[in-house]
């Protein structure tokens, strides 16, 4: 069952991150970094481990980039929750880092987790070939930075003062950066570790990433805060354009299903071996949090 595979992958990645943090000084910062890393679904780390398995990569190598992407994802959530950005009190069913500690700690936790991601992919234990490690670090910088996730976040913030509702094309472009870039990097990482072609996994991740974001918008409308683990209804409350507000709930869900079908089709070159990645795509549009 897919949920079991996801939990096992998340446990493996969490254990790796705990070992890494055990080597840090016992400061409140380290405790807060561990707190920020806990409690997520671990979908991005799972995508790294599963794409690596498809390419016969040793999990002892793949766990490094899997931990790296979860660290960078956790940083993005901590900074996104800050008062200067989304100003959220709850994340993963717990108080946000700036609420439990303070804003300075939350900024440093984010900075620490972002840089930790690059430390992990460039660790010699991640891959014996320095060129492969450099390739992982370079593509990770592209995905996380001002042409990827940071760009998506900047476009999202700019949209709030644009004085008009974004179009579907603009939202799709924004989300490709904000959510899609890290999901894409995760799914392609296994091929990168193996020195293989990333095209099929990139096509899979493009559909998956967009479906993931559409489902996030669905949960903002249909979910309850206790299950989702954070405030819901925020987008509608702010009059913010989302896939659901532009397409309507039913059409948004059907678009997400079509995207997942396309994502699964893209995995054809991997045959039956890709069954778990297909289950992951179905999970993304059935999840309740
Ligand atoms: C601060 C540079 C910077 C970027 C923030 C990712 C992001 C950009 C903001 C997060 C806000 C948000 C709700 C985005 C929508 C999609 C998303 C990334 C949801 C959270 O991902 P999950 O569901 O979370 O994989 P877990 O908690 O399971 O890890």
């Amino acid at each position: 069952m897919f949920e079991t595979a996801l939990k096992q992958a998340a446990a493996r990645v969490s254990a790796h991150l705990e070992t890494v943090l055990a080597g840090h000084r016992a400061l409140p910062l380290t405790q807060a970094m561990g707190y920020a890393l806990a409690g997520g679904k671990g979908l991005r780390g799972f995508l790294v481990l599963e794409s690596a398995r498809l390419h016969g990569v040793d999990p002892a190598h793949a766990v490094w980039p899997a931990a790296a992407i979860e660290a960078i994802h956790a940083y993005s959530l901590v900074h996104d929750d800050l008062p200067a950005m989304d100003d959220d009190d709850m994340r993963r069913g717990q108080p946000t880092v700036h609420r439990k500690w303070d804003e300075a700690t939350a900024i440093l936790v984010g900075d620490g987790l972002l840089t930790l991601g690059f430390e992990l992919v460039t660790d010699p234990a991640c891959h014996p070939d320095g060129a492969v490690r450099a390739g992982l670090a370079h593509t990770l910088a592209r995905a996380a930075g001002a042409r990827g996730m940071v760009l998506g976040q900047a476009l999202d913030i700019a949209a709030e003062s644009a004085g008009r509702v974004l179009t579907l094309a603009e939202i799709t472009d924004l989300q490709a950066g904000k959510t899609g870039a890290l999901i894409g990097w995760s799914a392609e990482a296994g091929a990168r570790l193996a020195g293989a072609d990333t095209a099929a996994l990139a096509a899979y991740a493009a559909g998956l990433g967009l479906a993931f974001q559409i489902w996030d918008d669905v949960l903002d409308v249909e979910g309850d805060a206790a299950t989702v683990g954070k405030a819901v209804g925020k987008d509608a409350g702010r009059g913010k354009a989302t896939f659901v507000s532009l397409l309507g709930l039913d059409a948004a869900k059907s678009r997400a299903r079509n995207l997942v079908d396309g994502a699964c089709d893209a995995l054809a070159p991997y045959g039956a071996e890709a069954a778990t990645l297909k289950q992951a795509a179905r999970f993304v549009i059935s999840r309740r949090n």
Side-chain angles (χ1 to χ4, degrees), residues 89-150:
D89 295 337
M90 297 295 284
R91 168 71 64 185
R92 295 172 169 172
Q94 302 289 330
T96 46
V97 173
H98 69 275
R99 286 306 227 153
K100 192 163 166 79
W101 282 270
D102 51 40
E103 283 182 45
T105 304
I107 291 168
L108 290 176
V109 162
D111 295 342
L113 290 171
L114 171 60
T115 41
L116 177 63
F118 290 94
E119 184 184 326
L120 294 172
V121 290
T122 52
D123 193 295
C126 170
H127 198 282
D129 185 344
V132 171
R133 301 197 300 271
L136 285 171
H138 182 74
T139 50
L140 185 54
R142 286 282 290 260
R147 281 190 279 182
M149 181 176 68
V150 169

Side-chain angles (χ1 to χ4, degrees), residues 90-229:
M90 297 295 284
R91 168 71 64 185
R92 295 172 169 172
Q94 302 289 330
T96 46
V97 173
H98 69 275
R99 286 306 227 153
K100 192 163 166 79
W101 282 270
D102 51 40
E103 283 182 45
T105 304
I107 291 168
L108 290 176
V109 162
D111 295 342
L113 290 171
L114 171 60
T115 41
L116 177 63
F118 290 94
E119 184 184 326
L120 294 172
V121 290
T122 52
D123 193 295
C126 170
H127 198 282
D129 185 344
V132 171
R133 301 197 300 271
L136 285 171
H138 182 74
T139 50
L140 185 54
R142 286 282 290 260
R147 281 190 279 182
M149 181 176 68
V150 169
L151 169 66
Q153 182 78 342
L155 292 172
D156 202 13
I157 290 170
E160 284 179 22
S161 50
R164 65 176 178 86
V165 171
L166 293 193
T167 64
L168 201 54
E170 286 171 324
I171 291 188
T172 304
D173 177 51
L174 181 165
Q175 298 300 355
K178 189 175 162 183
T179 321
L182 292 197
I183 290 181
W185 186 86
S186 308
E188 291 168 37
R192 285 217 167 83
L193 283 163
D197 185 11
T198 55
L201 288 168
Y204 162 77
L208 178 75
L210 198 49
F212 181 96
Q213 184 55 51
I214 294 176
W215 205 255
D216 214 63
D217 293 347
V218 168
L219 288 177
D220 193 60
V221 174
E222 281 194 336
D224 64 278
T227 312
V228 177

Side-chain angles (χ1 to χ4, degrees), residues 39-44 70 73 75-77 79-80 85 91-92 149-150 153 178-179 212-213 216 230 287 289:
K41 293 181 291 297
L43 180 68
R44 293 157 191 78
E70 286 296 332
H73 168 57
Y75 125 73
S76 79
L77 300 180
H79 278 191
D80 184 65
M85 296 218 194
R91 168 71 64 185
R92 295 172 169 172
M149 181 176 68
V150 169
Q153 182 78 342
K178 189 175 162 183
T179 321
F212 181 96
Q213 184 55 51
D216 214 63
K230 61 178 182 179
R287 68 197 164 94
N289 74 344

